[in-house]
Amino acid sequence: MSMAATVSSSRITSSGFSRSGISSDPKVSHIGSLRLLDRVHVTPMSLNLSGKRSSVKPLNAEPKTKDSMIPLAATMVAEIAEEVEEVVEIEDFEQLAKKLENASPLEIMDKALEKFGNDIAIAFSGAEDVALIEYAHLTGRPYRVFSLDTGRLNPETYRFLDAVEKHYGIRIEYMFPDSVEVQGLVRSKGLFSFYEDGHQECCRVRKVRPLRRALKGLRAWITGQRKDQSPGTRSEVPIVQVDPVFEGLDGGAGSLVKWNPVANVEGDHVWSFLRTMDVPVNTLHAAGYVSIGCEPCTRAVLPGQHEREGRWWWEDAKAKECGLHKGNIKDDANKGDGVNGKSKPVVEDIFKSESLVALSRQGIENLMKLENRREPWIVVLYAPWCPFCQAMEASYDELAEKLAGSGIKVAKFRADGEQKEFAKQELQLGSFPTILVFPKNSSRPIKYPSEKRDVDSLTSFLNLVR
């Protein structure tokens, strides 16, 4: 008895879904509804996704008569002996990830679809991960696609989803949030509570819980995560892994496998592929939207800005995750565990111009108390680990050199760690970096509203408000 025969003979599939990637049958049932194949030949021992043995009674077993006891006993002995000799091989996905590290996205996609067949689906967000669907189409294998409709997507995204269905001849399996949960959230906190207390609660109701329901009907899923998408959070995304957060069809830890075929691909290479293949794309991309989510939480980015700056822009750069890929979020680089003598990594400070004033907590409190300042001040609230702060270091140092001796003070205040709550409450800190101008004759600082942080833009703003 081969292991392949054992697994295939006890296969459970989702009902109602065509095994053709180009099916247009609109009668598609929800992810997770099950049926047994008509032709079932189940052996006494089978292997589930996690590699654990489970006893299964053969569905085609016939009642045994007394005169069949001797043949039956012989059969049982043979089967037991066969089981003893059989070696259960549990898939090592860490080793598989290493093996596929240099593989192309097409090869990775082909491997994923080959392994899981109808028990795997592509998670499609309505953004550039349409590349995943194109790769699946190119393999020639059947594939499934699902998407989370949060109820707050851009109109352009809905039109794009429809265009993708028509282009590939497929039906996307949409998952929706629970209406009672959404109603409770909106009635108690309003339509835009995430601007005040963070996006996590809304994302949990509209995205994470619907995703959890979808994944409970699968044994594996495919995502468009890339290592270069989010600074500090996705830099260690593997090609394939046992999902560390969500559960699959069999339930329990290790019951779901997560594939990330474009983990090692840079964003511009994905776009080169999309242009070459001439596939549908979301029209929001042409308007400067790179990373696309819900309409209230997504905006266009400026040339040179990182794509994730367009998502939840009012929050810290390191918080720009919705919870769908929580298991792939890299631990804070500033955190040391303090165990076994391990110390916290040293983070080098930034903004090092000698013409720049480094303010302490006491110093910035004194600055806030001055109602009649002798000169205006410009202060950046920063965190040295923040990649967006690092990106403006050269221009801010240049600004300090340019304004030296001009009667305008250029300063910095490190506002992370213990100072973060103070900065939020007293200094209008929303995300890093935040730039404040303290005018000469005003007690209240003015927050610089733009994300253009070059020398000319900052100088122009200073001249208008100082």
Side-chain angles (χ1 to χ4, degrees):
M1 181 195 307
S2 68
M3 180 57 63
T6 304
V7 176
S8 63
S9 64
S10 61
R11 187 144 183 248
I12 297 175
T13 67
S14 299
S15 66
F17 294 112
S18 169
R19 286 188 173 273
S20 170
I22 57 174
S23 171
S24 60
D25 183 3
K27 296 181 180 179
V28 180
S29 55
H30 294 291
I31 294 177
S33 57
L34 305 177
R35 67 176 174 86
L36 291 176
L37 288 175
D38 295 333
R39 298 175 61 188
V40 181
H41 303 283
V42 185
T43 56
M45 301 298 292
S46 63
L47 183 68
N48 62 20
L49 179 63
S50 60
K52 298 179 182 178
R53 290 176 176 270
S54 58
S55 298
V56 179
K57 182 179 179 180
L59 298 180
N60 60 339
E62 298 179 357
K64 302 295 181 180
T65 60
K66 290 183 179 180
D67 59 356
S68 66
M69 289 300 293
I70 293 177
L72 175 61
T75 303
M76 290 175 62
V77 171
E79 287 182 347
I80 292 172
E82 190 173 20
E83 286 177 21
V84 171
E85 294 177 358
E86 182 181 350
V87 177
V88 178
E89 184 176 340
I90 301 175
E91 184 76 73
D92 187 338
F93 287 100
E94 288 188 10
Q95 286 299 114
L96 182 59
K98 292 178 182 178
K99 182 179 178 181
L100 295 172
E101 185 66 22
N102 296 317
S104 69
L106 181 61
E107 182 180 352
I108 297 166
M109 178 67 72
D110 186 68
K111 177 67 71 174
L113 296 177
E114 177 191 24
K115 274 185 169 294
F116 290 95
N118 201 46
D119 293 330
I120 190 171
I122 298 168
F124 179 41
S125 69
E128 76 273 20
D129 50 11
V130 66
L132 298 176
I133 301 177
E134 179 66 16
Y135 283 123
H137 177 73
L138 290 174
T139 68
R141 298 183 184 275
Y143 62 92
R144 295 167 59 188
V145 181
F146 75 93
S147 187
L148 306 178
D149 184 350
T150 65
R152 306 204 68 172
L153 304 179
N154 295 80
E156 293 87 347
T157 299
Y158 287 112
R159 286 193 286 270
F160 173 49
L161 293 168
D162 181 66
V164 168
E165 284 191 325
K166 291 175 179 176
H167 181 82
Y168 291 101
I170 62 174
R171 281 289 178 261
I172 297 173
E173 303 165 30
Y174 293 101
M175 300 300 296
F176 301 91
D178 182 89
S179 60
V180 175
E181 285 189 302
V182 173
Q183 180 176 287
L185 174 63
V186 173
R187 283 188 175 181
S188 63
K189 306 186 73 173
L191 286 167
F192 300 97
S193 60
F194 38 81
Y195 289 143
E196 300 174 2
D197 56 15
H199 70 274
Q200 297 295 340
E201 183 179 20
C202 186
C203 284
R204 185 165 56 250
V205 170
R206 294 181 181 272
K207 298 175 73 173
V208 178
R209 288 174 183 165
L211 175 67
R212 184 176 288 114
R213 293 200 309 271
L215 296 179
K216 284 294 290 183
L218 299 170
R219 288 192 169 90
W221 63 310
I222 303 168
T223 87
Q225 282 193 112
R226 302 192 319 271
K227 292 178 179 178
D228 70 339
Q229 277 178 326
S230 186
T233 64
R234 297 189 180 183
S235 60
E236 297 179 0
V237 174
I239 296 295
V240 59
Q241 65 186 136
V242 175
D243 196 299
V245 176
F246 296 101
E247 296 181 5
L249 187 61
D250 293 330
S255 60
L256 185 71
V257 177
K258 185 177 186 180
W259 291 77
N260 307 298
V262 293
N264 294 331
V265 181
E266 295 181 2
D268 55 346
H269 292 167
V270 171
W271 274 101
S272 177
F273 174 71
L274 294 177
R275 285 189 289 267
T276 299
M277 303 308 293
D278 192 26
V279 302
V281 294
N282 196 321
T283 56
L284 287 172
H285 291 303
Y289 291 75
V290 182
S291 179
I292 301 173
C294 294
E295 187 277 331
C297 304
T298 305
R299 67 178 182 180
V301 296
L302 298 169
Q305 283 187 297
H306 193 278
E307 63 184 80
R308 297 296 280 190
E309 282 205 71
R311 302 288 295 276
W312 308 296
W313 61 91
W314 63 94
E315 297 181 0
D316 291 349
K318 298 181 76 174
K320 294 180 183 288
E321 295 288 348
C322 62
L324 299 188
H325 303 294
K326 182 179 179 181
N328 292 126
I329 297 178
K330 184 179 178 182
D331 290 337
D332 189 340
N334 292 318
K335 291 181 180 178
D337 56 16
V339 179
N340 299 325
K342 294 181 181 179
S343 59
K344 295 182 179 180
V346 177
V347 180
E348 187 177 357
D349 202 10
I350 55 177
F351 306 124
K352 300 177 181 177
S353 170
E354 293 182 359
S355 301
L356 195 147
V357 180
L359 291 172
S360 64
R361 166 74 173 268
Q362 186 64 51
I364 200 163
E365 286 180 339
N366 290 338
L367 180 61
M368 292 169 62
K369 293 175 184 177
L370 291 175
E371 295 186 2
N372 294 306
R373 301 180 187 87
R374 294 182 179 179
E375 58 270 311
W377 288 66
I378 180 170
V379 182
V380 60
L381 312 182
Y382 75 105
W385 45 260
C386 170
F388 308 120
C389 298
Q390 295 167 8
M392 66 166 287
E393 180 179 13
S395 61
Y396 199 69
D397 281 344
E398 182 182 343
L399 179 71
E401 298 294 335
K402 177 180 178 180
L403 298 179
S406 68
I408 301 175
K409 297 290 187 181
V410 181
K412 66 177 183 178
F413 174 67
R414 181 166 177 174
D416 62 341
E418 296 178 355
Q419 307 301 334
K420 188 173 182 179
E421 284 305 312
F422 160 75
K424 281 185 174 181
Q425 295 177 14
E426 304 294 337
L427 297 172
Q428 308 174 55
L429 175 67
S431 61
F432 294 117
T434 291
I435 300 172
L436 301 176
V437 174
F438 291 81
K440 187 174 181 180
N441 297 313
S442 174
S443 60
R444 181 176 176 80
I446 301 172
K447 186 175 180 178
Y448 179 64
S450 174
E451 294 186 6
K452 296 182 68 175
R453 300 168 187 137
D454 58 279
V455 174
D456 291 340
S457 298
L458 291 172
T459 301
S460 176
F461 184 72
L462 270 169
N463 290 333
L464 291 171
V465 302
R466 65 178 183 174

